[in-house]
Amino acid sequence: MNKLLLLFFIPIAILFYTSCKEKLPLNKDLTKKSYALLNQDSVEVKFPEIISGNITVIGFIFTNCPDICPMTTHNMYLTEKKLREQKIGNVKFVALSFDPERDKPSVLKKFAEFRGIDFNNWILLTGEKIIITDLLRRFDVRAIPADSIYSDDGELSYSIMHTDRISLIDNKGFLKKNYTGSKLNIDELFNDIKNLRGN
Amino acid sequence: MILLLILNFLFNQPKDEIIIKDAWLRPNGKGMTTALYFNIENAGKQADTLFQVDFEFAARVEIHETYEKDGMMGMRKVEHIIIKEGNSFSLKPGAHHIMLIKLKKDINDGKQEEFLLHFKKAGEIKITAEVKKQ
């Protein structure tokens, strides 16, 4: 009888495990290294400690990006709105700049304020370039300076080619899934968050 | 004189044959960058070209396109956009857009801003765009 039960439950367990793995295909431990960064208020914070215990949606942006990064940020904003409407809490939203030379904390704060972002739920991060570069590598996010031009006042203006990315991190600090930031399927991310919470 | 009138008739396109719809831009702060989007309909009998956009509250205005290369997203300047006769062209997120570089004032959600579009045949067309956070 016991053998019959095992024969019945083992395939179901394998099926369940495979299905979860497909929905959340990654399992990368981000807690092995800590990064000292600055939040939008110029307060030094440690990542990933700052998100510890929370499911986290992280987007990679630069504020001089007129097209892709605002779409990524807006998609995160819409995901947060949907979670709030469904009364699902304990989810943090992080926007990490890959342009730390221009994206000082005050710039990030202003960028967020223009988009009605709620700082109770959101953290915008910048920091030293060398640290940011190392952290981006952990997420397999690439950002390369592209076309540059000197404006009339002699200021260098440049664009950045970058990975279009939003990532989902579980409450233990494991990277679980990547999404295309500007073309995010909000329902997919929403369901993945529910799945992580066990809803 | 008659020859000039004939040439003008042949090579210029009435303004009302170029129709601009759904113009909007994203909010952002002074000193930063944002993008303007709209739809161009060419109801005329000849192709027309958008080659310049003026906005008094940006240090520089350029026509750009977003592109993907090696799994990364980038932007590049384009000199103009050609809209064939009887066709339309959408400047939209993730594609062509008007890049407003180094804003001279805050662009706030819910407000409206005015722009001047320059077409080779239709000439100057003034438009009003809504500021929307999306």
Side-chain angles (χ1 to χ4, degrees):
Chain A
M1 182 64 185
N2 280 347
K3 276 183 185 172
L4 271 175
L5 276 175
L6 275 177
L7 277 174
F8 179 72
F9 281 114
I10 286 172
I12 288 176
I14 290 170
L15 209 67
F16 179 74
Y17 174 76
T18 317
S19 146
C20 286
K21 207 173 174 190
E22 270 171 22
K23 280 182 187 162
L24 300 166
L26 305 173
N27 201 37
K28 186 174 189 176
D29 188 358
L30 298 171
T31 64
K32 289 182 176 167
K33 193 167 177 185
S34 179
Y35 298 85
L37 301 169
L38 291 172
N39 73 7
Q40 68 278 358
D41 293 315
S42 299
V43 175
E44 189 177 301
V45 295
K46 299 275 189 193
F47 183 92
E49 292 87 329
I50 186 78
I51 56 160
S52 174
N54 292 285
I55 292 170
T56 299
V57 176
I58 182 167
F60 301 86
I61 62 156
F62 73 111
T63 66
N64 271 281
C65 171
D67 194 39
I68 293 295
C69 306
M71 289 161 77
T72 296
T73 312
H74 192 64
N75 283 335
M76 291 167 69
Y77 174 87
L78 293 176
T79 307
E80 186 204 17
K81 190 173 167 223
K82 185 162 183 171
L83 289 167
R84 204 182 316 118
E85 282 165 2
Q86 303 283 322
K87 301 192 182 349
I88 296 173
N90 257 5
V91 181
K92 281 275 176 210
F93 287 80
V94 175
L96 175 71
S97 169
F98 42 65
D99 185 18
E101 280 159 355
R102 287 183 294 186
D103 285 343
K104 303 299 176 199
S106 59
V107 175
L108 288 178
K109 189 164 191 174
K110 198 171 176 183
F111 175 83
E113 283 170 347
F114 272 91
R115 284 159 180 80
I117 279 171
D118 174 8
F119 293 115
N120 290 315
N121 255 355
W122 282 68
I123 312 163
L124 287 94
L125 296 174
T126 184
E128 283 179 41
K129 195 174 180 190
I130 191 166
I131 296 175
I132 297 275
T133 305
D134 192 20
L135 182 53
L136 291 176
R137 222 174 274 134
R138 299 278 295 148
F139 283 93
D140 296 320
V141 168
R142 290 184 293 159
I144 304 163
D147 294 347
S148 61
I149 189 170
Y150 279 99
S151 53
D152 296 341
D153 56 10
E155 199 177 313
L156 179 66
S157 140
Y158 56 91
S159 182
I160 296 178
M161 273 196 81
H162 59 90
T163 309
D164 181 8
R165 174 74 57 80
I166 286 173
S167 296
L168 178 63
I169 303 168
D170 72 8
N171 59 0
K172 295 181 182 72
F174 281 72
L175 173 63
K176 303 303 286 187
K177 191 170 177 178
N178 292 326
Y179 310 82
T180 304
S182 68
K183 295 175 188 156
L184 178 72
N185 178 337
I186 289 160
D187 288 335
E188 181 188 347
L189 174 56
F190 177 79
N191 289 330
D192 288 340
I193 291 169
K194 278 176 68 178
N195 187 18
L196 270 182
R197 289 167 55 91
N199 294 125
Chain B
M1 184 64 184
I2 292 166
L3 182 65
L4 280 174
L5 284 171
I6 291 168
L7 285 172
N8 185 53
F9 176 77
L10 284 176
F11 294 106
N12 281 339
Q13 177 147 276
K15 277 187 183 17
D16 57 6
E17 289 182 346
I18 291 289
I19 304 150
I20 308 297
K21 284 185 175 169
D22 306 323
W24 67 280
L25 69 155
R26 290 198 185 86
N28 218 349
K30 186 180 173 184
M32 298 168 96
T33 299
T34 193
L36 166 71
Y37 306 96
F38 49 86
N39 196 45
I40 310 168
E41 283 178 24
N42 183 355
K45 289 189 170 60
Q46 45 188 334
D48 208 342
T49 305
L50 173 71
F51 65 96
Q52 188 184 324
V53 177
D54 294 340
F55 181 49
E56 67 171 302
F57 300 111
R60 231 171 49 246
V61 181
E62 293 175 356
I63 305 171
H64 274 229
E65 67 175 340
T66 297
Y67 67 97
E68 187 175 354
K69 190 184 174 193
D70 301 330
M72 292 197 288
M73 302 305 292
M75 274 182 325
R76 61 187 159 216
K77 187 179 171 183
V78 296
E79 294 305 319
H80 55 253
I81 292 170
I82 298 169
I83 312 100
K84 288 182 181 168
E85 61 275 21
N87 281 329
S88 61
F89 190 98
S90 281
L91 290 94
K92 59 187 178 187
H96 281 76
H97 55 275
I98 305 299
M99 185 144 155
L100 312 172
I101 301 160
K102 214 171 175 192
L103 296 168
K104 294 177 183 172
K105 68 168 189 177
D106 290 347
I107 303 290
N108 289 298
D109 185 37
K111 302 280 183 188
Q112 293 186 330
E113 299 294 342
E114 287 190 343
F115 297 86
L116 193 62
L117 313 185
H118 297 261
F119 289 87
K120 277 191 180 166
K121 295 197 174 89
E124 295 176 354
I125 297 178
K126 197 173 172 181
I127 63 162
T128 302
E130 304 279 335
V131 183
K132 295 193 274 188
K133 49 173 192 196
Q134 56 174 260

